[in-house]
Amino acid sequence: MRQILFAGAIGLFLTLVGTPLLIKLLARKGYGQFIRDDGPRTHGSKKGTPTMGGIAFILATLIAYFLAKVITGEEMRFSGVLVLFLMAGMGLVGFLDDYIKIVKQRSLGLRAKAKMAGQLIVGIAFAVLSLQFADARGNTPASDKLSFVEDFGWSIGPVLFVVWALFMILAMSNGVNLTDGLDGLATGASVMVFGAYTFIGLWQFQESCANAGTLTNPSACFEVRDPLDLAVVASALMGSCFGFLWWNTSPAKIFMGDTGSLALGGALAGLAICSRTEFLMAILGGLFVMITMSVVIQVGSFKMTGKRVFRMAPLQHHFELKGWSEVLVVVRFWIIQGMCVIVGLGLFYAGWAAKK
């Protein structure tokens, strides 16, 4: 429990203090946001705002995790380290994308093939490594079974697992990326989901099958490797994003850029895979799913019928064009995300209670 508290507090402190320093550095170098001409007109004022702010909470999360371990004298676990690897690796791909946008003044950043290749390399490395490093009970960081609140069904095998893990990583990374269109929207939504995973990791640790001898009902235990370490990672991310939100909320002093959005999406997918809550992520991260689907629907409708369902996709821009203020859209979408987290946690608890 102390690890979780230290990780969250250190992450919060580092981004509260460190983000303004990063803002000054980026502003001095002229690394400002490039605004596309086809976006809402109200976004014109955002041009030149420092971007690549994801650097702040990526570094803060890494430092918070390792300092929490040093302070408490606890060992680092493979599951937590792998999720951090996935976060940092996806963040690096996003950083290269942002850097090209800024330095080359090319609004689309990395070429699509190069960006996809980077994501695939990081995702495949994570997926393969997550099936290694079995503990004394034979549990690896990830399982080759599908999961909702725990593993279910038969093994899909390592090859299909890698494909499934890649789908989750790419879907969540691009989902957060699409959501990151308004000040604080993706950051605030991510804080809620990381908070949920802090609770899930702690609950799985308390009800772990490794402690079956001390549980009142061993049949209701969770067979997850390193759940407490996943909670520490989630707490570090929650605290770091919370501190970043202070500077990222409207009017934003800094944007996370693809550096941050790809990193957050990777971290969310990694937590879902390693905590055996893969399909539950679609509910916990419901806002990201909803916004991603709005793009799929818009593109599909236009290609098939030549008509648009929304005034503009992703969904948040549709409501902006309807006359909603940016702050109104963000707050209402945060409320939706909060309800998704409540429903997701309710289902997680119900799944555990049903086994008792």
Side-chain angles (χ1 to χ4, degrees):
M1 187 66 178
R2 290 195 306 146
Q3 296 179 69
I4 296 174
L5 295 175
F6 277 123
I10 293 170
L12 174 64
F13 173 78
L14 288 177
T15 47
L16 279 175
V17 174
T19 303
L21 300 178
L22 180 62
I23 292 172
K24 291 180 181 179
L25 175 63
L26 295 173
R28 189 181 306 122
K29 290 184 174 294
Y31 292 172
Q33 178 72 21
F34 189 95
I35 303 298
R36 296 176 60 178
D37 295 332
D38 56 352
R41 294 180 180 179
T42 54
H43 288 199
S45 61
K46 300 175 185 286
K47 185 175 182 179
T49 302
T51 187
M52 295 194 292
I55 295 172
F57 55 74
I58 292 173
L59 291 178
T61 299
L62 294 172
I63 294 171
Y65 173 82
F66 291 117
L67 282 183
K69 293 295 183 180
V70 171
I71 293 171
T72 59
E74 298 290 340
E75 294 181 0
M76 293 181 289
R77 304 290 180 178
F78 285 113
S79 299
V81 172
L82 278 174
V83 173
L84 292 175
F85 161 77
L86 181 58
M87 175 196 72
M90 297 298 288
L92 177 60
V93 175
F95 172 81
L96 294 175
D97 190 43
D98 287 333
Y99 186 79
I100 290 174
K101 288 178 185 176
I102 295 166
V103 176
K104 303 296 184 181
Q105 290 294 296
R106 193 169 75 214
S107 64
L108 296 180
L110 277 173
R111 302 295 182 189
K113 290 183 178 179
K115 190 173 183 179
M116 179 61 71
Q119 292 176 302
L120 288 176
I121 291 171
V122 175
I124 291 173
F126 167 82
V128 172
L129 290 172
S130 67
L131 291 178
Q132 314 302 318
F133 310 112
D135 63 9
R137 296 180 58 83
N139 291 321
T140 53
S143 167
D144 60 2
K145 293 182 179 180
L146 300 178
S147 61
F148 184 61
V149 296
E150 62 178 351
D151 287 340
F152 65 84
W154 296 277
S155 168
I156 61 175
V159 175
L160 285 180
F161 167 76
V162 171
V163 174
W164 169 242
L166 280 175
F167 171 77
M168 284 198 63
I169 293 167
L170 294 175
M172 287 309 303
S173 295
N174 290 288
V176 178
N177 185 256
L178 290 170
T179 304
D180 183 35
L182 302 182
D183 295 354
L185 178 58
T187 310
S190 297
V191 166
M192 298 182 205
V193 186
F194 289 132
Y197 270 106
T198 302
F199 171 82
I200 288 172
L202 183 58
W203 191 268
Q204 288 178 333
F205 172 72
Q206 292 176 338
E207 302 294 328
S208 172
C209 293
N211 305 323
T214 62
L215 299 178
T216 56
N217 190 351
S219 63
C221 66
F222 292 99
E223 198 69 81
V224 176
R225 170 164 185 165
D226 312 321
L228 184 61
D229 218 51
L230 295 176
V232 174
V233 171
S235 178
L237 279 159
M238 178 178 63
S240 298
C241 288
F242 228 140
F244 181 76
L245 183 60
W246 181 271
W247 306 101
N248 181 234
T249 193
S250 184
K253 301 295 188 297
I254 189 171
F255 300 135
M256 70 168 69
D258 282 13
T259 306
S261 60
L262 295 189
L264 292 181
L268 289 170
L271 287 169
I273 292 169
C274 291
S275 65
R276 315 291 204 269
T277 56
E278 295 160 355
F279 284 108
L280 185 64
M281 170 55 76
I283 299 172
L284 291 172
L287 180 66
F288 303 126
V289 175
M290 182 179 73
I291 287 176
T292 301
M293 289 307 300
S294 73
V295 176
V296 173
I297 292 170
Q298 184 85 325
V299 173
S301 175
F302 188 76
K303 286 186 175 181
M304 289 188 292
T305 67
K307 297 181 180 180
R308 292 179 173 85
V309 176
F310 307 105
R311 295 188 179 185
M312 184 177 181
L315 188 61
Q316 62 268 33
H317 299 318
H318 166 79
F319 289 102
E320 278 192 291
L321 294 179
K322 286 191 66 176
W324 291 20
S325 69
E326 180 174 358
V327 173
L328 181 62
V329 175
V330 170
V331 172
R332 286 181 173 174
F333 276 37
W334 279 351
I335 293 171
I336 293 172
Q337 177 55 49
M339 290 189 291
C340 290
V341 166
I342 291 171
V343 172
L345 287 177
L347 290 173
F348 174 79
Y349 181 80
W352 171 79
K355 297 191 298 180
K356 297 184 67 174

